[in-house]
Amino acid sequence: MLKIATWNVNSLRVRLPQVLEWLQQHQPDVLALQETKLTDAAFPHSAFSEIGYHAVFAGQKTYNGVALLSQIASQTTITTLPTLADEQQRFLAATYPFQNKELHIVNVYVPNGAELGCDKYFYKLRWLESLHRYLQESIQQFSNIVVLGDFNIAPTDADVLNPTDWIDSILTSDSERQALQHLFDLGLSDAFRLFSQPEHSFSWWNYQAGSFRRNDGARIDLILLTNSLKAMAKSCYIDTAPRRLPRPSDHTPVVLELQTF
DNA sequence: ATGGTCGCCATGCGA
């Protein structure tokens, strides 16, 4: 069994104890982190190596930042989207050898987009097009690809509590969903929806206005799989436990279990 | 209808 997970931690400095605890409890083969908000010089790699995890990371001061933690070392890593000139650290791809096969893992922190029609929104759409170009190429090179992270898009109305609250809104707009569909059209599947799931399953809840208590969230943290891996998927679930801890991230982990090759 | 909360870092910005 291979266990692969994603978690937007909203500051790795603040959440490090929670991440270490979660790794020890769940022992994932790979954990993708977003919003580490740390420079590479400040990355706490020794805290992870002490509990048996390798780390690769692409960070910057104050904002953004992605990392991949893994029980086995990655062969090669790519720390910027080759298809976009971007100063923001939102992309990290690594290839891992599992049972003599290559698994290409792409960790993304898709721009939030702020609100429809603004500069950040168009940056989000451009970023997603660039990701599409990257994956188009990668699919030629790797048969087994996992694309996971904070997509900042709720794929369908089933992925928010009350769709009428989200009409013409960021995270749900037609252009964002079309950009995500364009990724699915490459032959990628939303792993969570390969299985029957509880209604109102979310991975992010606003810190404000008691959103978590009211379960007023959105499922915006996704794990996409190529067809080769789809057949091996055994389960996909959201672990809401870390969202209940004191000083939680506003996101909680999403976990994929794959039958071994 | 507005403001409500975090994390960054020292003030507003981004989410």
Side-chain angles (χ1 to χ4, degrees), chain A residues 142-230:
Chain A
F142 302 101
S143 50
N144 303 307
I145 304 177
V146 177
V147 190
L148 78 175
D150 178 359
F151 283 71
N152 270 312
I153 303 171
T156 73
D157 282 353
D159 299 308
V160 294
L161 184 63
N162 186 0
T164 56
D165 290 346
W166 291 89
I167 293 167
D168 291 331
S169 173
I170 200 69
L171 311 186
T172 61
S173 72
D174 289 344
S175 297
E176 292 167 82
R177 284 178 172 170
Q178 279 163 20
L180 183 60
Q181 182 60 47
H182 202 203
L183 300 182
F184 294 155
D185 291 344
L186 291 167
L188 295 165
S189 303
D190 179 354
F192 191 75
R193 293 299 179 202
L194 297 175
F195 305 94
S196 66
Q197 301 289 357
E199 247 195 301
H200 305 150
S201 290
F202 306 130
S203 64
W204 165 83
W205 301 259
N206 198 313
Y207 281 124
Q208 301 178 72
S211 301
F212 183 65
R213 180 179 46 77
R214 296 182 291 106
N215 194 31
D216 184 6
R219 190 175 69 89
I220 59 178
D221 299 274
L222 309 178
I223 303 178
L224 311 188
L225 303 177
T226 50
N227 285 326
S228 53
L229 295 176
K230 193 173 156 182

Coordinates of all heavy atoms in Angstrom, one line a residue, chain A residues 142-230:
Chain A
F142 N 5.9 10.3 -18.3 CA 5.6 9.4 -17.2 C 4.2 8.8 -17.3 O 3.3 9.5 -17.6 CB 5.6 10.2 -15.9 CG 6.9 10.9 -15.6 CD1 7.1 12.2 -15.8 CD2 8.0 10.1 -15.1 CE1 8.3 12.9 -15.5 CE2 9.2 10.8 -14.8 CZ 9.4 12.1 -15.0
S143 N 4.1 7.5 -17.1 CA 2.7 6.9 -17.1 C 2.0 7.1 -15.8 O 0.8 7.1 -15.7 CB 2.8 5.5 -17.6 OG 3.7 4.7 -16.8
N144 N 2.8 7.2 -14.7 CA 2.2 7.3 -13.4 C 2.4 8.7 -12.8 O 3.5 9.0 -12.3 CB 2.8 6.2 -12.4 CG 2.6 4.8 -13.0 OD1 1.5 4.4 -13.3 ND2 3.7 4.1 -13.1
I145 N 1.3 9.5 -12.8 CA 1.4 10.8 -12.3 C 0.3 11.1 -11.2 O -0.8 10.8 -11.4 CB 1.3 11.9 -13.4 CG1 2.4 11.6 -14.5 CG2 1.5 13.3 -12.9 CD1 2.3 12.5 -15.7
V146 N 0.7 11.7 -10.1 CA -0.2 12.2 -9.1 C 0.0 13.8 -9.1 O 1.1 14.2 -8.9 CB 0.1 11.6 -7.7 CG1 -0.9 12.3 -6.7 CG2 0.0 10.1 -7.7
V147 N -1.1 14.5 -9.3 CA -1.1 15.9 -9.2 C -1.9 16.3 -8.0 O -3.1 16.0 -7.9 CB -1.6 16.6 -10.4 CG1 -1.4 18.2 -10.4 CG2 -1.1 16.1 -11.7
L148 N -1.3 16.9 -6.9 CA -2.1 17.1 -5.7 C -1.7 18.5 -5.1 O -0.6 19.0 -5.4 CB -1.8 16.0 -4.7 CG -0.6 15.9 -3.9 CD1 -0.6 14.8 -2.9 CD2 0.7 15.8 -4.7
G149 N -2.6 19.0 -4.3 CA -2.3 20.2 -3.6 C -3.6 21.0 -3.4 O -4.7 20.5 -3.5
D150 N -3.3 22.3 -3.1 CA -4.4 23.3 -2.9 C -4.7 23.9 -4.3 O -4.0 24.7 -4.8 CB -4.0 24.3 -1.9 CG -5.1 25.4 -1.7 OD1 -6.1 25.3 -2.4 OD2 -4.8 26.3 -0.9
F151 N -5.8 23.4 -4.9 CA -6.2 23.9 -6.2 C -7.0 25.2 -6.2 O -7.2 25.9 -7.2 CB -7.0 22.9 -7.0 CG -6.2 21.8 -7.6 CD1 -5.6 20.8 -6.7 CD2 -5.9 21.7 -8.9 CE1 -4.8 19.8 -7.3 CE2 -5.1 20.7 -9.5 CZ -4.5 19.7 -8.6
N152 N -7.5 25.6 -5.0 CA -8.3 26.8 -4.8 C -9.5 26.8 -5.8 O -9.9 27.9 -6.3 CB -7.5 28.1 -5.0 CG -6.9 28.5 -3.6 OD1 -7.7 28.6 -2.6 ND2 -5.6 28.8 -3.5
I153 N -10.0 25.6 -6.1 CA -11.2 25.5 -7.0 C -12.0 24.3 -6.4 O -11.5 23.2 -6.2 CB -10.9 25.1 -8.4 CG1 -10.0 26.1 -9.1 CG2 -12.2 25.0 -9.3 CD1 -9.4 25.7 -10.5
A154 N -13.3 24.6 -6.2 CA -14.3 23.5 -5.8 C -14.8 23.0 -7.1 O -15.5 23.7 -7.8 CB -15.4 24.1 -4.9
P155 N -14.5 21.7 -7.4 CA -14.8 21.2 -8.8 C -16.3 21.3 -9.2 O -16.6 21.6 -10.3 CB -14.4 19.7 -8.7 CG -13.3 19.7 -7.6 CD -13.8 20.7 -6.6
T156 N -17.2 21.0 -8.2 CA -18.7 21.0 -8.5 C -19.4 21.6 -7.4 O -18.9 21.9 -6.3 CB -19.2 19.6 -8.8 OG1 -19.3 18.9 -7.5 CG2 -18.4 18.8 -9.7
D157 N -20.7 21.8 -7.6 CA -21.6 22.4 -6.5 C -21.7 21.4 -5.3 O -22.0 21.9 -4.2 CB -23.0 22.7 -7.1 CG -23.0 24.0 -7.9 OD1 -22.0 24.7 -7.9 OD2 -24.1 24.3 -8.5
A158 N -21.4 20.1 -5.5 CA -21.4 19.2 -4.4 C -20.2 19.5 -3.5 O -20.1 18.9 -2.4 CB -21.3 17.8 -4.9
D159 N -19.3 20.3 -3.9 CA -18.0 20.5 -3.1 C -18.1 21.8 -2.3 O -17.0 22.3 -1.8 CB -16.8 20.5 -4.1 CG -16.7 19.2 -4.8 OD1 -16.7 18.2 -4.1 OD2 -16.6 19.2 -6.0
V160 N -19.3 22.4 -2.2 CA -19.5 23.5 -1.2 C -20.8 23.2 -0.5 O -21.6 22.4 -0.9 CB -19.6 24.9 -2.0 CG1 -18.3 25.3 -2.6 CG2 -20.8 24.9 -3.0
L161 N -21.0 23.9 0.7 CA -22.2 23.6 1.5 C -23.5 24.1 0.8 O -24.4 23.3 0.6 CB -22.1 24.3 2.9 CG -23.2 24.0 3.8 CD1 -23.2 22.5 4.2 CD2 -23.0 24.8 5.1
N162 N -23.5 25.4 0.4 CA -24.7 26.0 -0.2 C -24.3 26.7 -1.5 O -23.9 27.8 -1.4 CB -25.3 26.9 0.8 CG -26.7 27.5 0.4 OD1 -27.1 27.1 -0.7 ND2 -27.3 28.3 1.2
P163 N -24.5 26.0 -2.6 CA -24.1 26.5 -3.9 C -24.6 27.9 -4.2 O -24.0 28.7 -4.9 CB -24.6 25.5 -4.9 CG -24.8 24.3 -4.2 CD -25.1 24.6 -2.8
T164 N -25.8 28.3 -3.7 CA -26.4 29.6 -4.0 C -25.5 30.7 -3.3 O -25.5 31.9 -3.8 CB -27.8 29.7 -3.5 OG1 -27.9 29.4 -2.1 CG2 -28.7 28.8 -4.3
D165 N -24.8 30.4 -2.3 CA -23.8 31.3 -1.7 C -22.6 31.6 -2.5 O -21.8 32.5 -2.3 CB -23.3 30.8 -0.3 CG -24.4 30.8 0.8 OD1 -25.4 31.4 0.6 OD2 -24.1 30.2 1.8
W166 N -22.4 30.7 -3.5 CA -21.2 30.7 -4.3 C -21.3 31.1 -5.8 O -20.5 30.9 -6.6 CB -20.5 29.3 -4.2 CG -20.0 29.0 -2.8 CD1 -20.7 28.4 -1.8 CD2 -18.7 29.3 -2.3 NE1 -19.9 28.3 -0.7 CE2 -18.6 28.8 -1.0 CE3 -17.5 29.9 -2.9 CZ2 -17.5 28.9 -0.2 CZ3 -16.4 29.9 -2.1 CH2 -16.4 29.4 -0.7
I167 N -22.5 31.7 -6.1 CA -22.7 32.0 -7.5 C -21.8 33.2 -7.9 O -21.6 34.2 -7.1 CB -24.2 32.4 -7.7 CG1 -25.1 31.2 -7.5 CG2 -24.4 33.1 -9.1 CD1 -26.6 31.5 -7.4
D168 N -21.1 33.0 -9.0 CA -20.1 34.0 -9.5 C -19.1 34.4 -8.4 O -18.8 35.6 -8.2 CB -20.8 35.3 -10.0 CG -21.6 35.0 -11.3 OD1 -21.2 34.2 -12.0 OD2 -22.6 35.7 -11.5
S169 N -18.6 33.4 -7.8 CA -17.6 33.6 -6.7 C -16.3 33.0 -7.0 O -16.2 32.1 -7.8 CB -18.2 33.0 -5.4 OG -17.3 33.0 -4.4
I170 N -15.3 33.5 -6.3 CA -13.9 32.9 -6.5 C -14.0 31.5 -5.9 O -14.9 31.2 -5.0 CB -12.9 33.7 -5.7 CG1 -11.5 33.4 -6.2 CG2 -12.9 33.6 -4.2 CD1 -11.2 33.9 -7.6
L171 N -13.3 30.5 -6.4 CA -13.2 29.1 -6.1 C -14.3 28.3 -6.8 O -14.2 27.0 -6.9 CB -13.4 28.8 -4.6 CG -12.5 29.5 -3.6 CD1 -12.8 28.9 -2.1 CD2 -11.1 29.5 -3.9
T172 N -15.3 28.9 -7.4 CA -16.4 28.2 -8.0 C -16.8 28.7 -9.4 O -17.6 28.1 -10.1 CB -17.7 28.2 -7.2 OG1 -18.1 29.6 -7.1 CG2 -17.5 27.6 -5.8
S173 N -16.1 29.8 -9.9 CA -16.6 30.4 -11.1 C -16.4 29.5 -12.3 O -15.6 28.6 -12.3 CB -15.8 31.7 -11.4 OG -14.5 31.4 -11.7
D174 N -17.2 29.8 -13.4 CA -17.1 28.9 -14.6 C -15.7 28.8 -15.2 O -15.2 27.8 -15.5 CB -18.1 29.5 -15.7 CG -19.5 29.3 -15.3 OD1 -19.8 28.5 -14.4 OD2 -20.4 30.0 -15.9
S175 N -15.0 30.0 -15.3 CA -13.7 30.0 -15.9 C -12.7 29.1 -15.1 O -11.9 28.4 -15.6 CB -13.1 31.4 -16.0 OG -13.9 32.1 -16.9
E176 N -12.8 29.2 -13.7 CA -11.9 28.3 -12.9 C -12.3 26.9 -13.1 O -11.4 26.0 -13.2 CB -12.1 28.7 -11.4 CG -11.6 30.1 -11.1 CD -12.1 30.5 -9.7 OE1 -11.5 30.1 -8.7 OE2 -13.1 31.3 -9.6
R177 N -13.6 26.5 -13.1 CA -14.0 25.1 -13.2 C -13.6 24.6 -14.6 O -13.2 23.4 -14.8 CB -15.5 25.0 -12.9 CG -15.7 25.0 -11.4 CD -17.2 24.9 -11.1 NE -17.4 24.8 -9.7 CZ -18.6 24.9 -9.1 NH1 -19.7 25.1 -9.8 NH2 -18.7 24.7 -7.8
Q178 N -13.7 25.5 -15.7 CA -13.3 25.1 -17.0 C -11.8 24.8 -17.1 O -11.4 23.8 -17.7 CB -13.7 26.2 -18.0 CG -15.1 26.1 -18.4 CD -15.6 27.4 -19.1 OE1 -14.8 28.2 -19.6 NE2 -16.9 27.6 -19.1
A179 N -11.0 25.6 -16.4 CA -9.6 25.4 -16.3 C -9.2 24.1 -15.7 O -8.3 23.3 -16.1 CB -8.9 26.5 -15.6
L180 N -10.0 23.7 -14.6 CA -9.8 22.4 -13.9 C -10.3 21.3 -14.9 O -9.6 20.3 -15.0 CB -10.6 22.4 -12.6 CG -10.5 21.2 -11.8 CD1 -9.0 20.9 -11.3 CD2 -11.4 21.3 -10.5
Q181 N -11.4 21.5 -15.5 CA -11.9 20.5 -16.5 C -10.8 20.2 -17.6 O -10.6 19.1 -18.0 CB -13.2 20.9 -17.1 CG -13.8 19.9 -18.1 CD -14.1 18.6 -17.4 OE1 -14.7 18.5 -16.4 NE2 -13.7 17.5 -18.1
H182 N -10.2 21.3 -18.0 CA -9.1 21.1 -19.0 C -8.0 20.2 -18.5 O -7.4 19.4 -19.3 CB -8.6 22.5 -19.3 CG -7.9 22.7 -20.6 ND1 -6.9 23.7 -20.9 CD2 -8.0 21.9 -21.8 CE1 -6.5 23.5 -22.1 NE2 -7.1 22.5 -22.7
L183 N -7.7 20.2 -17.2 CA -6.7 19.3 -16.6 C -7.3 17.9 -16.6 O -6.6 16.9 -17.0 CB -6.4 19.7 -15.2 CG -5.7 21.1 -15.0 CD1 -5.4 21.3 -13.5 CD2 -4.5 21.2 -15.9
F184 N -8.6 17.7 -16.3 CA -9.2 16.4 -16.3 C -9.2 15.8 -17.7 O -9.0 14.6 -17.9 CB -10.7 16.5 -15.8 CG -10.9 16.9 -14.4 CD1 -12.1 17.4 -13.9 CD2 -9.9 16.6 -13.4 CE1 -12.3 17.8 -12.6 CE2 -10.1 16.9 -12.1 CZ -11.3 17.5 -11.7
D185 N -9.4 16.7 -18.7 CA -9.4 16.3 -20.1 C -8.1 15.6 -20.6 O -8.0 15.0 -21.6 CB -9.7 17.4 -21.0 CG -11.2 17.9 -20.9 OD1 -12.0 17.1 -20.3 OD2 -11.5 19.0 -21.3
L186 N -7.0 15.9 -19.8 CA -5.7 15.3 -20.1 C -5.7 13.8 -19.8 O -4.8 13.1 -20.1 CB -4.6 15.9 -19.4 CG -4.2 17.4 -19.8 CD1 -3.3 18.0 -18.7 CD2 -3.5 17.3 -21.1
G187 N -6.8 13.3 -19.1 CA -6.9 12.0 -18.6 C -6.6 11.8 -17.1 O -6.2 10.8 -16.7
L188 N -6.9 12.9 -16.4 CA -6.7 12.9 -15.0 C -8.0 12.8 -14.3 O -9.0 13.4 -14.7 CB -5.9 14.2 -14.5 CG -4.5 14.4 -15.1 CD1 -4.0 15.8 -14.9 CD2 -3.6 13.4 -14.4
S189 N -8.1 12.1 -13.2 CA -9.3 11.9 -12.4 C -9.2 12.5 -11.0 O -8.1 12.3 -10.4 CB -9.7 10.4 -12.3 OG -9.8 9.9 -13.6
D190 N -10.3 13.0 -10.5 CA -10.4 13.5 -9.1 C -10.5 12.3 -8.2 O -11.6 11.6 -8.1 CB -11.6 14.4 -9.0 CG -11.9 15.0 -7.7 OD1 -11.2 14.6 -6.7 OD2 -12.8 15.8 -7.6
A191 N -9.4 11.9 -7.5 CA -9.4 10.6 -6.8 C -10.5 10.5 -5.8 O -11.1 9.4 -5.5 CB -8.0 10.5 -6.1
F192 N -10.9 11.6 -5.1 CA -11.9 11.6 -4.1 C -13.2 11.1 -4.6 O -14.0 10.4 -3.9 CB -12.1 13.1 -3.5 CG -12.9 13.2 -2.3 CD1 -12.4 12.8 -1.1 CD2 -14.2 13.7 -2.3 CE1 -13.1 12.9 0.1 CE2 -14.9 13.8 -1.2 CZ -14.4 13.4 0.0
R193 N -13.5 11.4 -5.9 CA -14.8 11.1 -6.4 C -14.8 9.7 -7.1 O -15.8 9.3 -7.7 CB -15.3 12.1 -7.4 CG -15.6 13.5 -6.8 CD -16.8 13.3 -5.8 NE -17.1 14.6 -5.2 CZ -17.7 14.8 -4.0 NH1 -18.1 13.7 -3.3 NH2 -18.0 15.9 -3.5
L194 N -13.7 9.0 -7.0 CA -13.7 7.6 -7.4 C -14.4 6.7 -6.4 O -14.7 5.5 -6.7 CB -12.3 7.1 -7.6 CG -11.4 7.8 -8.6 CD1 -10.0 7.2 -8.6 CD2 -12.0 7.6 -10.0
F195 N -14.7 7.2 -5.2 CA -15.3 6.5 -4.1 C -16.6 7.2 -3.6 O -16.7 8.4 -3.8 CB -14.3 6.3 -3.0 CG -13.0 5.7 -3.4 CD1 -11.9 6.5 -3.8 CD2 -12.9 4.3 -3.6 CE1 -10.8 6.0 -4.2 CE2 -11.7 3.8 -4.0 CZ -10.6 4.6 -4.4
S196 N -17.5 6.4 -3.0 CA -18.6 7.1 -2.4 C -18.2 7.8 -1.2 O -17.3 7.3 -0.5 CB -19.7 6.1 -2.1 OG -19.3 5.2 -1.1
Q197 N -18.7 9.0 -1.0 CA -18.2 9.9 0.1 C -19.4 10.5 0.9 O -20.5 10.6 0.3 CB -17.4 11.0 -0.5 CG -16.2 10.6 -1.4 CD -15.0 10.0 -0.5 OE1 -15.1 10.0 0.7 NE2 -14.0 9.6 -1.2
P198 N -19.1 10.8 2.1 CA -20.2 11.5 2.9 C -20.5 12.8 2.2 O -19.7 13.5 1.6 CB -19.5 11.8 4.2 CG -18.3 11.0 4.3 CD -17.9 10.7 2.9
E199 N -21.8 13.2 2.3 CA -22.2 14.5 1.8 C -21.5 15.6 2.5 O -21.1 15.4 3.7 CB -23.7 14.7 2.0 CG -24.5 14.8 0.7 CD -25.9 15.3 0.9 OE1 -26.7 14.7 1.7 OE2 -26.3 16.3 0.3
H200 N -21.3 16.8 1.9 CA -20.6 17.9 2.5 C -19.3 17.6 3.1 O -19.0 17.8 4.3 CB -21.6 18.5 3.6 CG -22.9 18.8 3.1 ND1 -24.1 18.8 3.9 CD2 -23.3 19.2 1.9 CE1 -25.1 19.1 3.2 NE2 -24.7 19.4 1.9
S201 N -18.4 17.0 2.3 CA -17.0 16.7 2.6 C -16.2 17.8 2.1 O -16.2 18.1 0.9 CB -16.6 15.4 1.9 OG -17.2 14.3 2.4
F202 N -15.5 18.5 3.1 CA -14.7 19.7 2.7 C -13.3 19.5 3.3 O -13.0 18.8 4.2 CB -15.4 20.9 3.3 CG -16.8 21.1 2.9 CD1 -17.8 21.4 3.8 CD2 -17.2 21.0 1.5 CE1 -19.1 21.5 3.4 CE2 -18.5 21.1 1.1 CZ -19.5 21.3 2.1
S203 N -12.4 20.3 2.6 CA -11.0 20.2 3.1 C -10.5 21.6 3.6 O -9.4 21.7 4.1 CB -10.1 19.8 1.9 OG -10.1 20.8 0.8
W204 N -11.3 22.6 3.4 CA -11.0 24.0 3.9 C -12.2 24.7 4.4 O -13.3 24.5 3.9 CB -10.4 24.8 2.7 CG -10.3 26.3 3.0 CD1 -9.4 26.9 3.7 CD2 -11.3 27.3 2.6 NE1 -9.7 28.3 3.7 CE2 -10.9 28.5 3.1 CE3 -12.5 27.2 1.9 CZ2 -11.6 29.7 2.9 CZ3 -13.3 28.4 1.7 CH2 -12.8 29.6 2.2
W205 N -12.0 25.4 5.5 CA -13.0 26.2 6.1 C -12.4 27.5 6.5 O -11.4 27.6 7.2 CB -13.6 25.5 7.4 CG -14.2 24.2 7.2 CD1 -15.5 23.9 7.1 CD2 -13.5 22.9 7.1 NE1 -15.7 22.5 6.9 CE2 -14.4 21.9 6.9 CE3 -12.1 22.6 7.1 CZ2 -14.1 20.6 6.8 CZ3 -11.8 21.2 7.0 CH2 -12.8 20.2 6.8
N206 N -13.1 28.6 6.1 CA -12.6 30.0 6.5 C -12.4 30.0 8.0 O -13.2 29.5 8.8 CB -13.7 31.0 6.1 CG -13.2 32.4 6.0 OD1 -12.5 32.9 7.0 ND2 -13.4 33.1 4.9
Y207 N -11.4 30.8 8.5 CA -11.2 31.0 9.9 C -12.4 31.8 10.5 O -12.6 31.7 11.7 CB -9.9 31.7 10.2 CG -8.6 30.9 10.1 CD1 -7.6 31.3 9.2 CD2 -8.4 29.8 10.9 CE1 -6.4 30.6 9.2 CE2 -7.2 29.1 10.9 CZ -6.2 29.5 10.0 OH -5.1 28.8 10.0
Q208 N -13.0 32.6 9.7 CA -14.0 33.6 10.2 C -15.4 33.0 10.4 O -15.7 32.0 9.7 CB -14.1 34.7 9.3 CG -12.8 35.5 9.0 CD -12.9 36.6 8.0 OE1 -13.5 37.6 8.3 NE2 -12.4 36.4 6.8
A209 N -16.1 33.6 11.3 CA -17.6 33.4 11.4 C -18.0 31.9 11.8 O -19.0 31.5 11.4 CB -18.3 33.8 10.2
G210 N -17.1 31.2 12.5 CA -17.4 29.9 12.9 C -17.7 28.9 11.7 O -18.5 28.0 11.8
S211 N -17.0 29.1 10.6 CA -17.2 28.3 9.4 C -17.0 26.8 9.7 O -17.8 26.0 9.2 CB -16.3 28.7 8.3 OG -16.5 30.1 8.0
F212 N -16.0 26.4 10.4 CA -15.8 25.0 10.7 C -16.9 24.4 11.5 O -17.4 23.3 11.2 CB -14.4 24.8 11.3 CG -14.1 23.3 11.5 CD1 -13.9 22.5 10.4 CD2 -13.9 22.8 12.8 CE1 -13.6 21.1 10.6 CE2 -13.6 21.5 13.0 CZ -13.5 20.6 11.9
R213 N -17.2 25.1 12.6 CA -18.3 24.6 13.5 C -19.6 24.4 12.7 O -20.3 23.4 12.9 CB -18.5 25.7 14.6 CG -19.6 25.4 15.6 CD -19.7 26.5 16.7 NE -19.8 27.8 16.1 CZ -20.8 28.4 15.5 NH1 -22.0 27.7 15.4 NH2 -20.7 29.6 15.0
R214 N -19.9 25.2 11.7 CA -21.1 25.1 10.9 C -20.8 24.2 9.7 O -21.7 24.1 8.8 CB -21.6 26.5 10.5 CG -22.0 27.4 11.6 CD -22.5 28.7 11.2 NE -21.5 29.6 10.7 CZ -21.4 29.9 9.4 NH1 -22.2 29.4 8.5 NH2 -20.4 30.7 8.9
N215 N -19.6 23.7 9.5 CA -19.2 22.9 8.4 C -19.5 23.7 7.1 O -19.9 23.1 6.1 CB -19.8 21.5 8.3 CG -19.1 20.6 7.3 OD1 -17.9 20.8 7.0 ND2 -19.9 19.7 6.7
D216 N -19.3 25.0 7.1 CA -19.4 25.8 5.9 C -18.1 25.9 5.2 O -17.4 26.9 5.4 CB -20.0 27.2 6.3 CG -20.3 28.1 5.1 OD1 -20.2 27.6 4.0 OD2 -20.6 29.2 5.3
G217 N -17.7 24.9 4.5 CA -16.4 24.8 3.9 C -16.4 24.6 2.4 O -17.5 24.8 1.7
A218 N -15.3 24.2 1.8 CA -15.2 23.8 0.4 C -14.2 22.8 0.2 O -13.2 22.7 1.0 CB -14.9 25.1 -0.4
R219 N -14.4 21.9 -0.8 CA -13.4 20.9 -1.1 C -12.5 21.5 -2.2 O -12.9 21.4 -3.4 CB -14.0 19.6 -1.5 CG -13.0 18.4 -1.6 CD -13.7 17.1 -1.9 NE -14.3 17.1 -3.2 CZ -13.6 16.7 -4.3 NH1 -12.4 16.2 -4.2 NH2 -14.3 16.7 -5.5
I220 N -11.4 22.0 -1.9 CA -10.5 22.7 -2.8 C -9.1 22.1 -2.9 O -8.3 22.5 -3.6 CB -10.4 24.2 -2.5 CG1 -9.9 24.5 -1.1 CG2 -11.7 24.9 -2.8 CD1 -9.7 26.0 -0.8
D221 N -8.9 21.1 -1.9 CA -7.6 20.4 -1.9 C -7.8 19.0 -2.6 O -8.6 18.2 -2.1 CB -7.1 20.2 -0.5 CG -6.9 21.5 0.2 OD1 -5.8 22.1 0.0 OD2 -7.8 22.1 0.8
L222 N -7.2 18.8 -3.7 CA -7.5 17.7 -4.6 C -6.3 16.8 -4.9 O -5.1 17.3 -4.8 CB -8.0 18.3 -6.0 CG -9.1 19.3 -5.9 CD1 -9.5 19.8 -7.3 CD2 -10.4 18.8 -5.2
I223 N -6.6 15.6 -5.3 CA -5.6 14.6 -5.7 C -6.0 14.1 -7.1 O -7.1 13.5 -7.2 CB -5.4 13.5 -4.7 CG1 -5.0 14.1 -3.3 CG2 -4.3 12.5 -5.2 CD1 -4.8 13.0 -2.2
L224 N -5.3 14.4 -8.1 CA -5.6 13.9 -9.5 C -4.7 12.8 -9.9 O -3.5 12.8 -9.6 CB -5.5 15.1 -10.5 CG -6.1 16.4 -10.2 CD1 -6.0 17.3 -11.4 CD2 -7.5 16.3 -9.7
L225 N -5.3 11.8 -10.6 CA -4.5 10.6 -10.9 C -4.6 10.3 -12.4 O -5.7 10.5 -13.0 CB -5.1 9.4 -10.2 CG -5.2 9.4 -8.7 CD1 -5.9 8.1 -8.2 CD2 -3.8 9.5 -8.1
T226 N -3.5 9.9 -13.0 CA -3.6 9.3 -14.4 C -4.3 8.0 -14.4 O -4.4 7.3 -13.3 CB -2.1 9.1 -14.9 OG1 -1.3 8.4 -14.0 CG2 -1.5 10.5 -15.3
N227 N -4.8 7.6 -15.5 CA -5.6 6.3 -15.6 C -4.9 5.1 -15.1 O -5.5 4.3 -14.4 CB -5.9 6.1 -17.1 CG -7.0 7.0 -17.5 OD1 -7.9 7.4 -16.8 ND2 -7.0 7.5 -18.8
S228 N -3.5 5.0 -15.3 CA -2.8 3.9 -14.8 C -2.9 3.7 -13.3 O -3.0 2.6 -12.7 CB -1.3 4.0 -15.1 OG -0.9 5.3 -14.7
L229 N -3.0 4.9 -12.6 CA -3.1 4.9 -11.1 C -4.5 4.8 -10.6 O -4.8 4.2 -9.5 CB -2.5 6.2 -10.5 CG -0.9 6.3 -10.8 CD1 -0.5 7.7 -10.2 CD2 -0.2 5.2 -10.1
K230 N -5.4 5.2 -11.4 CA -6.9 5.2 -11.1 C -7.3 3.7 -10.8 O -8.0 3.5 -9.8 CB -7.6 5.6 -12.3 CG -9.1 5.9 -12.1 CD -9.6 6.6 -13.4 CE -11.1 6.4 -13.5 NZ -11.6 6.9 -14.8

